[in-house]
Amino acid sequence: MSGYMKKIYRTRYFWSHLVRAELKNKFRRSKLGILWTFMNPLLLTLLMSTVFGTVFNMSIVDYAPYVLSGIIVWELISGSFIGGGHSIMTGEQYIRQFNHPILIYTLKTALVFTITFVIAMISLLVWILFINPQNIILGIITLPLTTLLYFFMSWAITTIAGFTNIKYRDYPQVIALIIQAVWYVSPVFFKKEMFSSSPALETFMDINPITHILALIREPFLYGSMPSMIDYAYTLGAILILGSLAIWINARNQSKVIFYL
């Protein structure tokens, strides 16, 4: 594994160029360009907080940042599962020409999603600066570690998704349905108290890893408190499980990738 990571490091100029190229291509010929990265979650938050805030009789001022933080993190997670499926396929022309570690292509995708997440976080920072400015310092202090954890989680997910998609081309359709189902049973825009009428759903919210992954952002920025050790433990546990699975899948399939493409 150490030798494999050294190979990834030696190719750093190549995959860092791929990251820059993908980011440029992402905003090419767009009038607003990079502004869309944090405008899109803001506009979606405005729509959802207005609708659900009215339905559940909640203050938009309090509910909107909850929704915004959920959308920003969820886009990183769902994007890694869905967009990560194309991470290896889009590198086909390079894979056929160069004997680079396959993981650099999933690494590239994970870095793009992580950078996009950091840019989108500007919208939450601006919101909190006006609504709860006292939480900004703690939020900024905890953000680097949270971003690092999110990056490793994204890299593991994109690796699993990338290998799965080149072997099973139905993956995008299946995972899109699964992600949509998980969205509705996770506290992305639903608060825990909305499920207080159902003890089973309330318990599920407590043990749902996504609840604790989201808490790494919500606790410091929304509530002005450090994420709990349980939140970090759930997140690290998810990363270890996904990372171990990604390493195993890579070890079994990296030599066969050329035949799957």
Side-chain angles (χ1 to χ4, degrees), residues 59-97:
S59 170
I60 293 180
V61 174
D62 296 327
Y63 185 51
Y66 183 90
V67 174
L68 179 58
S69 59
I71 289 173
I72 292 172
V73 178
W74 183 254
E75 285 185 348
L76 172 68
I77 297 173
S78 62
S80 298
F81 273 108
I82 299 173
H86 303 288
S87 56
I88 296 177
M89 293 181 65
T90 54
E92 179 178 357
Q93 58 179 327
Y94 301 114
I95 293 172
R96 293 187 181 279
Q97 297 180 57

Side-chain angles (χ1 to χ4, degrees), residues 43-53 63 67 71 183 189:
L43 294 173
L44 187 56
T45 295
L46 182 62
L47 174 62
M48 294 182 65
S49 59
T50 300
V51 174
F52 287 101
Y63 185 51
V67 174
I71 289 173
W183 160 280
F189 59 92

